[in-house]
Amino acid sequence: MTYSIADAEQELKVKHDALNLRWYPRYHLAARAGWINDPNGLVWFDGWYHAFYQHHPYSTQWGPMHWGHARSQDLVHWEHLPVAIAPEGPEDKDGCFSGSAVVDGDTLALIYTGHKFHGDADNEENLYQVQCLATSRDGIHFERQGIVVDTPPGVHHFRDPKVWREGESWYMIVGARAGETGQVRLYRSADLRQWQEEGVLDEAEAGMGFMWECPDFFTLGDKRVLMFSPQGMAAHGFKNRNLFQSGYLLGDWQPGQQFVRAGEFIELDHGHDFYAPQSFLTPDGRRIVIGWLDMWESPLPEQQDGWAGMLSLPRELSLSADNRVEMRPAKEVESLRQGWYPWPVSTLNNQQIGVAENAEAMEVVLNWKGAESTAEQYGLSLGDGLRIYVDAQMQRLVLERHYPQHGLCGTRSVPLTLDHDLHLRVFIDSSSVELFVNDGEACLSSRIYPDAGQRDLRLFAWSGSASLSDGGAWQLE
């Protein structure tokens, strides 16, 4: 089958009108219809934030990738634009895979992976992934420039370029698989078209994955952050519970030198659904990241409704005093706030209390007094399917979802210090929850699928009491 932007647009117009919107996000970015996964090409250009994303317009299943496109002036209200690139050429005939965007003078440049098979697609020896360029003056219509980096000899998995400017040069990192070892390869260019190989920036040691997808490389504080999504890390205790992870390595690097790690791989988000995050800089210099709010091989019940997948809220990154990457909602998210509803609850004693009905677009704020709380479990529930609670015996904060009708049950959690106060911001949308802990200390993001009538919010405390210094909710636009 041959693909074109015009055909994709026609397909989306037809499919969008037929969507079932019961779980479609009210304030997150999702495709007009069809499939969406990795965010791509996050950039500020000519007065707009641009978000591209991996997109299959023709079905709710992963398929030959296109680049969907939306823009915003505030990171929360998005305008859908025409599909930016489709697999139209010999260099990307089987898919336009993930990549990034940079501003080069008055031009917006997309650098993406062309995915193609030379022969039988069932034989991985026939797979070739190359890095391609497309450019635009208006930020909407793109002119394909073809291959700029070919597949290295002996490598088949070679994708997801991230490009940035440093000094007089452009730099590009690309995720790769060398045998059973994930790695990130480095390239340098003066013009985005002719690239010189600079070697391997970093690669996996035993247990760190067979493929490093969606790499990103940036500065926070006085450290370099290598952010990536490794495939093939085994779960261990409470760590790495998802099929694939997203996280980072801290270190030091200067152009022409080796990347020197300072510490171990740390997961960015501890929920069920967060993958392929990409970062960019705002005009005022903040480092913002957006991820795919889903997980490979996890059920996506919305596929029956004509769409699949969504992107996370924009999150600002910072480096803590003890050199950990902290993640909190970008300040622009507060512009969604409408009415504030305080909850007149200060103490719960072996009970549950209803606090809101039909929670669908809401930011919940809770401040628990840990030192005064003795309950074995205390927290917040949404209908019968979602609980966010402190488990005092495990000394962990737990996000539990229970949707057996969709095959989605289980918990994710982070450690807690029980005698400290606990500050939570909980963003609830039609089919997602994003939980931010202690102003950047941790984050847990998961997809949820409440049935009609299962959106009532309750506070609870079991086997003891729990105290709140403050609690309530913002209704979101």
Side-chain angles (χ1 to χ4, degrees):
M1 181 176 176
T2 56
Y3 296 93
S4 72
I5 289 172
D7 288 346
E9 284 299 304
Q10 183 60 36
E11 190 78 11
L12 288 166
K13 284 185 176 69
V14 172
K15 285 184 158 43
H16 178 69
D17 292 337
L19 292 187
N20 181 339
L21 298 177
R22 57 180 170 165
W23 291 317
Y24 193 83
R26 301 298 188 256
Y27 60 93
H28 287 75
L29 179 58
R32 288 170 282 170
W35 170 277
I36 176 176
N37 58 290
D38 306 359
N40 296 152
L42 305 178
V43 71
W44 171 265
F45 173 70
D46 197 25
W48 293 88
Y49 292 105
H50 290 259
F52 302 84
Y53 49 85
Q54 291 287 274
H55 184 31
H56 188 224
Y58 296 93
S59 83
T60 59
Q61 307 288 329
W62 185 92
M65 286 290 101
H66 297 53
W67 272 39
H69 187 194
R71 70 180 180 181
S72 171
Q73 291 191 313
D74 63 3
L75 287 173
V76 290
H77 298 91
W78 293 95
E79 172 194 355
H80 287 288
L81 295 173
V83 168
I85 45 179
E88 299 177 273
E91 68 274 17
D92 58 17
K93 67 183 180 68
D94 296 308
C96 302
F97 276 22
S98 292
S100 52
V102 293
V103 178
D104 183 18
D106 61 356
T107 299
L108 179 58
L110 308 184
I111 304 92
Y112 69 96
T113 295
H115 178 74
K116 55 181 180 167
F117 287 92
H118 295 180
D120 180 8
D122 292 330
N123 184 351
E124 203 162 272
E125 292 299 309
N126 295 327
L127 170 64
Y128 291 89
Q129 294 184 326
V130 296
Q131 313 319 315
C132 304
L133 176 68
T135 58
S136 172
R137 292 291 177 87
D138 66 4
I140 298 174
H141 305 93
F142 290 86
E143 186 176 336
R144 301 156 63 89
Q145 308 289 338
I147 298 172
V148 293
V149 178
D150 210 341
T151 315
V155 172
H156 293 281
H157 292 271
F158 176 64
R159 56 183 175 268
D160 311 335
K162 180 65 190 280
V163 177
W164 75 97
R165 181 92 180 176
E166 190 149 346
E168 295 301 307
S169 296
W170 294 102
Y171 290 87
M172 175 199 295
I173 52 173
V174 185
R177 177 177 181 174
E180 292 300 307
T181 300
Q183 59 181 209
V184 172
R185 296 183 173 227
L186 179 66
Y187 297 81
R188 181 169 56 87
S189 173
D191 62 3
L192 294 175
R193 286 163 172 80
Q194 303 294 321
W195 291 88
Q196 292 79 47
E197 192 165 358
E198 299 271 297
V200 173
L201 182 71
D202 201 356
E203 64 180 2
E205 294 157 4
M208 286 183 67
F210 59 77
M211 172 71 197
W212 285 7
E213 290 198 313
C214 304
D216 201 341
F217 197 53
F218 51 88
T219 300
L220 275 185
D222 61 352
K223 291 293 180 187
R224 299 279 182 158
V225 181
L226 177 58
M227 184 172 73
F228 58 100
S229 296
Q231 296 180 315
M233 290 185 75
H236 179 71
F238 291 108
K239 293 182 178 179
N240 307 330
R241 300 306 308 175
N242 294 330
L243 177 64
F244 301 132
Q245 283 67 50
S246 295
Y248 64 92
L249 293 162
L250 283 186
D252 298 293
W253 179 83
Q254 292 298 325
Q257 299 180 10
Q258 295 294 308
F259 175 65
V260 179
R261 281 188 211 169
E264 61 180 3
F265 176 81
I266 296 175
E267 288 180 87
L268 264 177
D269 189 295
H270 301 270
H272 295 87
D273 295 291
F274 188 78
Y275 194 69
Q278 186 174 111
S279 80
F280 64 101
L281 282 174
T282 61
D284 62 359
R286 290 171 294 144
R287 178 65 60 175
I288 300 290
V289 70
I290 296 176
W292 180 38
L293 207 56
D294 284 294
M295 181 50 55
W296 295 112
E297 295 187 23
S298 179
L300 292 170
E302 73 267 24
Q303 286 174 315
Q304 62 190 294
D305 294 346
W307 66 282
M310 59 191 286
L311 301 185
S312 75
L313 286 175
R315 304 160 180 202
E316 183 178 348
L317 301 184
S318 59
L319 195 65
S320 70
D322 60 350
N323 281 338
R324 291 182 72 88
V325 174
E326 295 184 329
M327 192 159 59
R328 52 184 61 83
K331 63 185 181 185
E332 286 83 352
V333 172
E334 294 175 16
S335 70
L336 293 170
R337 290 173 174 173
Q338 296 186 314
W340 165 254
Y341 299 93
W343 295 341
V345 179
S346 58
T347 303
L348 296 136
N349 189 9
N350 201 34
Q351 67 186 128
Q352 67 176 2
I353 297 174
V355 288
E357 296 178 351
N358 197 30
E360 191 166 37
M362 191 171 279
E363 176 192 349
V364 174
V365 179
L366 293 172
N367 291 302
W368 293 102
K369 295 193 275 191
E372 298 177 25
S373 298
T374 62
E376 289 182 7
Q377 288 188 0
Y378 59 91
L380 176 76
S381 66
L382 176 71
D384 294 336
L386 173 69
R387 293 202 309 154
I388 293 166
Y389 63 91
V390 173
D391 187 313
Q393 294 175 88
M394 287 202 305
Q395 300 185 53
R396 299 186 75 84
L397 177 67
V398 179
L399 188 158
E400 176 185 20
R401 64 179 180 185
H402 183 73
Y403 302 101
Q405 68 274 37
H406 303 302
L408 289 165
C409 298
T411 64
R412 298 288 182 267
S413 64
V414 293
L416 281 182
T417 304
L418 290 181
D419 58 358
H420 290 185
D421 287 352
L422 175 62
H423 174 65
L424 303 179
R425 291 176 72 187
V426 188
F427 289 86
I428 298 167
D429 204 340
S430 302
S431 59
S432 66
V433 60
E434 289 169 274
L435 168 63
F436 295 88
V437 184
N438 290 336
D439 193 32
E441 190 178 288
C443 183
L444 298 94
S445 304
S446 296
R447 296 297 301 277
I448 58 174
Y449 296 93
D451 290 333
Q454 286 289 329
R455 290 189 170 274
D456 290 353
L457 281 177
R458 296 181 179 89
L459 295 172
F460 64 87
W462 301 124
S463 299
S465 65
S467 296
L468 276 168
S469 60
D470 187 32
W474 294 95
Q475 193 67 41
L476 301 184
E477 188 181 327

